[in-house]
């Protein structure tokens, strides 16, 4: 005896299951759930530090609470926006979107070309129903009205059926399809883009080669061969400050550019106006001061010479830096800070009271011993690990001054500004921008468009009937019906 | 006039606006709590005497309008003191945001009688301005170079207007939930008898959202364009950007729920409150405690 015979179970093969899953995935409820999930899934990305934005803060997490950090990391908590679970949500959402919107688009395209449906038999129950005696001209006047207002019409013995407002659905579809375009733009950018940072001191030249960068990252499908050739020479950097609040007013980097063909042009890079080379752009991101120093040994041989970039610490550009002299024996390190406008503060010691070079001063302590450069552990260029060193002196210098210590001397020659240039290539951004603009246009059309039908019928007994139907916004239809009726009656 | 005089003037106008908002608050409270005389025999809508409430509502609205004008002058004077648009720090966002919030209410008043909301609107404006002037106040200062852009102006003003309207629609959704729960229980309180129907409130909060959602979308796009020219990327999942995205997606979900899934009433109102609170969270948390590129000049 078998139960199947009695209950007649429908067959659910693999095909049926797939169809069922597809229907579930493209249902409105799923879209809603996925949208909410996407919003909720983004939250940890803003509460936890993210590796690609703030690697220092992530490292701190690992130092302060290693077990918790390890667990967070296991769930990609420090890389939320590239996490598998985050990708899963938006990929499902976009599959659902395509599955929902593409069929609707085809249907809509058919509908737009089709004629409106025939006039229903009973108009009485529809919106704004009116009836009045005919004067004979109604059909002509209605035709005129619909033509002027760009309705689509269908005529049929004694009646006109008119429809307008497909723009609502068109807008809705355009909006959803444009979201796909934005996603394509983002993907192109992350697959074929690149971003690098380089520090240049005034007077130096940056050549667009992988080795010139302090940091450089590529998209998954591109590499250093894709760098276009150009060079940037920083001739002058001008920063203006407000004398009352000390806050910056304007930064301008005056540069000479040499392009692939060897042509040189003079340009100015500002914070909100980058330079453009094909699909690459060059941005001014940060700036600071680089003291030029010369270190000599006791017989006067130069062991170090050149600019050292210092890292700004506050809005008055008090900066910290380190001068490392591995050539000296024993090795020397200068743990330093630089103050563009020096002032002595009874509590804090040396401070800077203005970001411009009004009274520049270089403060340092000199350490002797092992700089630890050979250990293989990457070191910050701004700090020195002094665990294997001893301090031998402490002093400060103004530009042009020299300090002698046992074992040599240091001369503070001058100070020049440095800038940080970011070179970015994002071949996908145009698609994203177009997608964004189209999405907005579609959204406006969809939210403010309004779809309605109007019918007019001249009955055999000489009466004229008018009625309408609105998908939304029936108040606006009332107004329109009013206008239509007056037109049909020949009133102005 | 010098810039310091303008700054001084701006502060005085904002203090005066707060004073008048407080008056409006008191009068509206009077309208709500005492102005209805319930006749003997219980609350019968036809027999209720609303004449005093009507008078109070009119006076309260007058104060509201006056306060709005004072606040407007205060914001403009702040801009003159800065020599640039007054959207450079949290204090300035707050005063402009309060202006947009009250503005949304006053515009809505032209079409619908919402004066019964005056109590909450003046309270909201007072709280915003109060925290702004006590906790967030910063002296007028020039814009840092990154903020000096036309896209910034467009981005910020549209964000502020969107925020004002989102907040307003939240107040309506909140009123809906309150009245709905009263109607399910012991019925509306006497003073609320003449308030609009639940259906009307439900529709209004939806219409407000549907109206500003494109503006918010535009604001996010303008922000992305600005970020591209200032930072070299149009989207970087900075906390502020992330929360702008969360707000956008939450409101998209809300519109979906209403338009396609047919949500109405309580469920829709809760979703509306959730979406609105993500905007508030972005404003408060990310500006005050957050890190990232959007935190400028110490607030
Ligand atoms: C990336 C995810 C999505 C976003 C951000 C989004 C956003 C929106 C928004 C804001 C609206 C309101 C527009 C209006 O009121 O006309 C809307 C409407 C709509 N969406 Fe989506 N949506 C998404 C995914 C989907 C998916 C997956 C589907 C299909 C399952 C879908 C189908 C619809 C439909 C049918 C409407 C209603 C249009 C109408 O009748 O007015 N959407 N969507």
């Amino acid at each position: 005896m078998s139960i199947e015979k009695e209950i007649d179970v429908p067959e659910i093969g693999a095909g049926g299951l797939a169809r069922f899953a597809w229907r579930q995935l493209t249902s409105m409820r799923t879209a809603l759930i996925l949208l909410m999930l996407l919003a909720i899934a983004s939250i940890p990305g803003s509460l936890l530090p993210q590796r690609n934005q703030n690697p220092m803060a992530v490292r701190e997490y690992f130092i302060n609470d290693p077990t918790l950090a390890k667990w967070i990391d296991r769930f990609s908590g420090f890389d939320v926006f590239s996490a598998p679970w985050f990708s899963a949500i938006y990929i499902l959402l976009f599959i659902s979107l395509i599955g929902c919107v593409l069929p609707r688009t085809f249907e809509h395209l058919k509908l737009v070309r089709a004629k409106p449906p025939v006039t229903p038999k009973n108009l009485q129950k529809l919106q704004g129903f009116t009836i009045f005696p005919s004067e004979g001209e109604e059909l002509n006047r209605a035709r005129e009205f619909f033509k002027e207002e760009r309705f689509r019409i269908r005529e049929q013995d004694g009646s006109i059926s008119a429809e307008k407002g497909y723009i609502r659905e068109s807008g809705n579809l355009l909006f959803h399809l444009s979201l796909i375009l934005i996603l394509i733009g983002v993907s192109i950018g992350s697959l074929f883009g690149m971003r690098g940072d380089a520090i240049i001191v005034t007077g130096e030249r940056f050549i667009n080669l992988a080795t010139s960068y302090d940091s450089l990252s590529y998209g998954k499908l591109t590499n250093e061969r894709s760098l276009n050739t150009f060079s940037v020479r920083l001739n002058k950097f001008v920063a203006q400050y407000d004398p009352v609040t000390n806050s910056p007013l304007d930064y301008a980097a005056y540069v000479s550019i040499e392009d692939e063909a060897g042509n040189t042009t003079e340009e100015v890079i500002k914070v909100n106006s980058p330079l453009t080379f094909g699909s690459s752009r060059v941005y001014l991101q940060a700036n600071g001061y680089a003291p030029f120093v010369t270190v000599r040994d006791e017989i006067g041989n130069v062991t170090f010479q050149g600019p050292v970039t210092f890292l700004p610490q506050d809005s008055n550009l008090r900066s910290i830096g380190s001068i490392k002299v591995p050539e000296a024996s024993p090795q020397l390190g200068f743990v330093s800070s630089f103050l563009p406008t020096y002032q002595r503060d009874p509590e804090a010691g040396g401070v800077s009271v203005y970001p411009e070079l009004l009274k520049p001063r270089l403060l340092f302590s000199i350490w002797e011993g092992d700089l630890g450069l050979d250990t293989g552990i990457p070191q910050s260029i701004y700090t020195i690990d002094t665990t294997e060193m001893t301090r031998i002196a402490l002093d400060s210098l103004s530009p042009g001054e020299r300090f002698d210590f046992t074992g040599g001397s240091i001369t503070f020659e001058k100070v020049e500004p440095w800038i940080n240039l970011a070179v970015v290539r994002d071949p996908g951004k145009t698609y994203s921008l177009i997608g964004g603009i189209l999405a907005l246009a579609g959204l406006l059309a969809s939210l403010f468009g309004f779809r309605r039908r109007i019918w007019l019928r001249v009955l055999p007994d000489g009466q004229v009937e008018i009625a309408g139907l609105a998908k939304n916004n029936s108040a606006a239809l009332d107004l329109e019906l009013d206008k239509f009726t007056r037109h049909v009656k020949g009133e102005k | 006039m010098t810039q310091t005089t303008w700054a001084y003037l701006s502060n005085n106008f904002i203090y005066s606006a707060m004073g008048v908002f407080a008056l409006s608050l008191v009068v509206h409270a009077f309208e709500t709590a005492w102005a209805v005389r319930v006749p003997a025999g219980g609350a019968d809508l036809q027999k209720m005497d609303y004449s005093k409430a009507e008078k109070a509502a009119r006076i309260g609205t007058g104060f509201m309008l006056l306060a709005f004008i004072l606040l407007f002058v205060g914001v403009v004077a702040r801009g003159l003191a800065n020599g640039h648009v007054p959207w450079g720090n949290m204090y300035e966002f707050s005063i402009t945001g309060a202006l947009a919030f009250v503005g949304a209410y006053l515009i809505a008043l032209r079409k619908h009688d919402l004066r019964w909301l005056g109590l909450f609107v003046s309270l909201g404006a007072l709280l915003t301005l109060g925290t702004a002037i006590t906790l967030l106040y910063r002296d007028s200062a020039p814009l840092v170079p990154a903020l000096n852009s036309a896209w910034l102006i467009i981005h910020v003003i549209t964000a502020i207007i969107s925020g004002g309207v989102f907040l307003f629609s939240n107040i309506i959704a909140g009123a809906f939930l309150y009245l709905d729960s009263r109607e399910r229980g012991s019925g509306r309180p006497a003073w609320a008898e003449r308030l609009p129907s639940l259906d009307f409130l439900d529709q209004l909060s939806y219409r407000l959202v549907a109206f500003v959602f494109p503006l918010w979308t535009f604001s996010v796009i303008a922000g992305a364009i600005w970020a591209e020219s200032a930072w070299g990327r149009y989207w970087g999942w900075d906390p502020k950007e992330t929360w702008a995205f969360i707000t956008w997606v939450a409101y998209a979900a809300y519109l979906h729920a209403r338009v396609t899934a047919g949500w109405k009433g309580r469920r829709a109102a809760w979703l509306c409150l959730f979406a609105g609170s993500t905007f508030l969270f972005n404003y408060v948390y990310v500006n005050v405690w957050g890190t990232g590129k959007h935190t400028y000049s110490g607030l």
Side-chain angles (χ1 to χ4, degrees):
Chain A
M1 212 181 69
S2 80
I3 303 171
E4 277 96 46
K5 272 196 182 142
E6 290 178 34
I7 307 182
D8 193 23
V9 177
E11 215 155 306
I12 305 184
L17 206 62
R19 257 199 307 281
F20 174 75
W22 180 249
R23 257 205 309 279
Q24 285 301 311
L25 183 60
T26 57
S27 78
M28 285 302 153
R29 208 179 38 155
T30 311
L32 190 57
I33 291 170
L34 287 172
L35 270 171
M36 286 313 294
L37 269 182
L38 187 64
I40 291 163
S42 314
I43 293 177
S46 81
L47 303 181
L48 294 168
Q50 297 294 294
R51 248 193 207 103
N52 58 353
Q53 294 167 13
N54 200 349
M56 300 292 268
V58 176
R59 212 170 305 149
E60 240 162 68
Y61 243 84
F62 271 94
I63 292 166
N64 294 343
D65 193 343
T67 24
L68 179 66
K70 224 173 272 163
W71 274 103
I72 294 175
D73 206 26
R74 203 161 289 168
F75 294 102
S76 311
F78 299 119
D79 310 277
V80 166
F81 301 103
S82 51
W85 47 268
F86 189 81
S87 315
I89 295 173
Y90 77 77
I91 289 172
L92 278 178
L93 180 58
F94 272 86
I95 293 175
S96 163
L97 178 83
I98 292 168
C100 169
V101 169
L102 273 190
R104 280 178 67 133
T105 309
F106 295 131
E107 219 167 279
H108 184 62
L109 286 178
K110 256 189 269 165
L111 206 70
V112 166
R113 272 177 275 144
K115 287 190 167 178
V118 297
T119 313
K121 284 216 175 67
N122 266 326
L123 290 179
Q124 287 95 311
K125 286 202 209 89
L126 295 163
Q127 190 181 336
F129 176 74
T130 40
I131 185 161
F132 52 88
S134 167
E135 292 169 4
E137 274 302 299
E138 285 79 10
L139 279 173
N140 285 336
R141 291 197 192 121
R143 231 173 264 131
E144 199 179 278
F145 179 89
F146 288 137
K147 195 165 175 204
E148 208 159 280
E149 301 280 323
R150 307 171 59 137
F151 276 74
R152 249 180 307 275
I153 60 173
R154 171 199 286 252
E155 291 202 45
Q156 207 184 16
D157 36 78
S159 81
I160 299 185
S161 164
E163 187 168 28
K164 187 181 173 180
Y166 283 146
I167 190 165
R168 182 182 164 78
E169 177 74 355
S170 310
N172 181 43
L173 294 170
L174 178 65
F175 169 73
H176 286 86
L177 291 172
S178 306
L179 296 181
I180 302 174
L181 188 59
I182 296 178
L183 189 69
I184 291 174
V186 172
S187 318
I188 292 178
S190 76
L191 292 177
F192 299 100
M194 66 71 90
R195 182 184 181 106
D197 282 282
I199 288 179
I200 331 179
V201 178
T202 310
E204 284 184 347
R205 196 160 81 117
F206 164 83
I207 303 170
N208 193 22
L209 292 172
T211 49
S212 313
Y213 286 98
D214 299 314
S215 72
L216 180 60
S217 57
Y218 302 102
K220 293 179 191 73
L221 295 182
T222 186
N223 58 38
E224 62 188 58
R225 264 169 302 174
S226 62
L227 294 177
N228 41 358
T229 36
F230 64 83
S231 76
V232 180
R233 199 190 126 87
L234 178 62
N235 300 321
K236 193 170 66 165
F237 175 74
V238 180
Q240 287 172 28
Y241 298 91
D242 179 48
V244 180
T245 59
N246 296 14
S247 61
L249 292 173
D250 191 33
Y251 298 125
Y254 294 82
V255 295
S256 304
I257 308 291
E258 197 178 68
D259 67 11
E260 249 157 306
N263 305 318
T264 309
T265 49
E266 305 290 313
E267 305 275 0
V268 184
I269 312 180
K270 292 194 167 201
V271 173
N272 279 313
S273 62
L275 286 184
T276 305
F277 295 96
S279 63
S280 298
R281 299 187 98 186
V282 180
Y283 298 84
L284 176 59
Q285 290 290 283
N287 62 280
Y289 288 113
F292 279 61
V293 296
T294 307
V295 180
R296 292 187 173 81
D297 64 15
E298 53 217 319
I299 49 171
N301 292 329
V302 173
T303 48
F304 178 88
Q305 185 163 46
V308 185
T309 48
F310 276 46
L311 191 67
Q313 301 293 305
D314 62 22
S315 58
N316 286 325
L317 298 189
R318 176 179 73 81
S319 309
I320 58 160
S322 73
I323 303 158
K324 296 175 189 175
V325 192
E327 315 279 275
S329 61
Q331 294 185 328
L332 286 175
F334 299 77
V335 177
S336 325
S337 50
F338 173 74
L339 308 167
T341 300
Y342 171 79
Q343 197 171 73
R344 261 210 80 75
D345 183 272
E347 270 153 46
V351 293
S352 173
V353 292
Y354 198 66
E356 281 180 51
L357 295 170
L358 300 183
K359 195 180 172 199
R361 199 148 183 95
L362 183 67
L363 282 55
F364 52 85
S365 57
I366 308 175
W367 296 73
E368 199 181 67
D370 183 2
L371 284 168
L373 295 179
D374 312 321
T375 56
I377 303 164
Q379 278 198 6
S380 160
I381 61 164
Y382 302 109
T383 56
I384 293 178
D385 178 6
T386 55
T387 43
E388 299 292 317
M389 306 185 90
T390 45
R391 198 171 78 179
I392 56 170
L394 183 76
D395 202 45
S396 71
L397 293 174
S398 296
E401 291 180 348
R402 193 184 78 191
F403 175 71
D404 293 314
F405 52 93
T406 43
S409 71
I410 177 169
T411 313
F412 178 19
E413 314 275 359
K414 58 171 182 175
V415 57
E416 293 280 5
W418 58 260
I419 58 172
N420 184 344
L421 289 183
V423 180
V424 182
R425 192 181 56 223
D426 183 350
K429 69 185 172 198
T430 321
Y431 299 98
S432 301
L433 180 63
I434 294 173
I437 292 169
L438 291 179
L440 190 61
L443 195 59
L444 287 171
S446 139
L447 287 169
F448 297 111
F450 121 76
R451 179 160 163 207
R452 66 278 196 195
R453 294 184 185 144
I454 297 180
W455 294 283
L456 177 141
R457 172 184 286 133
V458 183
L459 296 169
D461 64 1
Q463 295 281 59
V464 181
E465 287 179 329
I466 291 177
L469 180 68
K471 269 219 145 171
N472 58 321
N473 206 351
S474 54
L477 180 63
D478 279 337
L479 293 178
E480 192 164 36
L481 278 174
D482 218 44
K483 193 171 148 203
F484 175 63
T485 309
R486 270 185 283 126
H487 187 95
V488 167
K489 285 183 176 167
E491 307 161 9
K492 263 287 132 171
Chain B
M1 278 207 285
T2 68
Q3 302 207 325
T4 350
T5 335
W6 279 118
Y8 180 70
L9 199 72
S10 164
N11 293 355
N12 280 338
F13 268 97
I14 283 168
Y15 277 121
S16 328
M18 287 176 67
V20 183
F21 275 126
L23 285 177
S24 168
L25 178 76
V26 171
V27 177
H28 276 299
F30 184 73
E31 173 201 354
T32 325
W34 300 300
V36 183
R37 277 207 308 253
V38 183
D44 178 348
L45 196 52
Q46 267 73 46
K47 290 195 205 127
M48 304 262 280
D49 176 3
Y50 281 115
S51 61
K52 280 199 173 167
E54 180 60 31
K55 204 179 285 170
R58 238 180 270 153
I59 297 172
T61 307
F63 280 136
M64 188 79 82
L65 190 62
L66 179 62
F68 176 79
I69 293 167
L70 291 171
L71 183 56
F72 179 77
V73 177
V75 171
V76 171
R78 177 77 181 192
L80 292 170
N82 288 348
H84 60 78
V85 290
W87 309 316
N89 53 39
M90 272 285 275
Y91 169 71
E92 296 175 355
F93 295 151
S94 301
I95 58 175
T96 316
L99 188 72
F101 171 62
V102 179
Y105 165 74
L106 287 173
I107 290 173
L109 265 196
R110 292 168 56 98
K111 281 188 91 173
H112 310 289
D113 184 6
L114 298 169
R115 290 173 302 177
W116 49 279
L117 278 178
L119 181 64
F120 301 100
V121 173
S122 37
L123 187 65
L126 263 182
L127 285 177
T128 315
L129 291 176
T131 31
I133 215 139
T134 51
L135 297 177
L136 307 172
Y137 187 78
R138 290 290 174 283
D139 280 329
S140 176
L143 280 182
V144 300
L147 295 181
N148 196 354
S149 146
W151 284 109
L152 164 85
I153 300 176
I154 297 170
H155 165 60
V156 173
I157 191 63
T158 47
I160 289 175
I161 294 175
S162 308
V165 180
F166 283 149
L167 197 61
F168 186 49
S169 90
N170 262 9
I171 286 198
I172 310 254
F176 172 90
L177 286 171
Y178 170 72
L179 292 178
D180 184 62
S181 76
R182 290 302 297 255
E183 281 189 10
R184 276 160 202 269
S186 54
R188 285 191 180 200
W191 62 267
E193 284 297 347
R194 70 179 197 139
L195 305 189
S197 69
L198 287 177
D199 227 25
F200 174 84
L201 294 177
D202 187 44
Q203 273 297 316
L204 183 63
S205 82
Y206 163 64
R207 294 239 301 273
L208 285 167
V209 172
F211 177 76
V212 284
F213 185 73
L215 192 71
W216 176 240
T217 308
F218 175 74
S219 178
V220 173
I221 295 174
I225 293 175
W226 172 46
E228 197 279 334
S229 71
W231 300 326
R233 86 288 186 294
Y234 58 91
W235 198 267
W237 296 110
D238 172 280
K240 192 101 193 179
E241 294 167 356
T242 303
W243 279 93
F245 174 77
I246 293 171
T247 302
W248 188 79
V249 173
Y251 274 113
Y254 171 78
L255 289 178
H256 256 224
R258 292 216 62 132
V259 178
T260 66
W263 283 27
K264 281 178 75 169
R266 273 205 292 185
R267 276 203 298 182
W270 279 115
L271 191 52
C272 184
L273 285 183
F274 168 74
S277 57
T278 65
F279 187 93
L280 269 183
F281 185 81
N282 195 0
Y283 179 68
V284 176
Y285 169 80
V286 181
N287 276 327
V288 179
W289 292 286
T291 54
K293 282 177 175 284
H294 279 82
T295 34
Y296 284 104
S297 58
L299 288 185

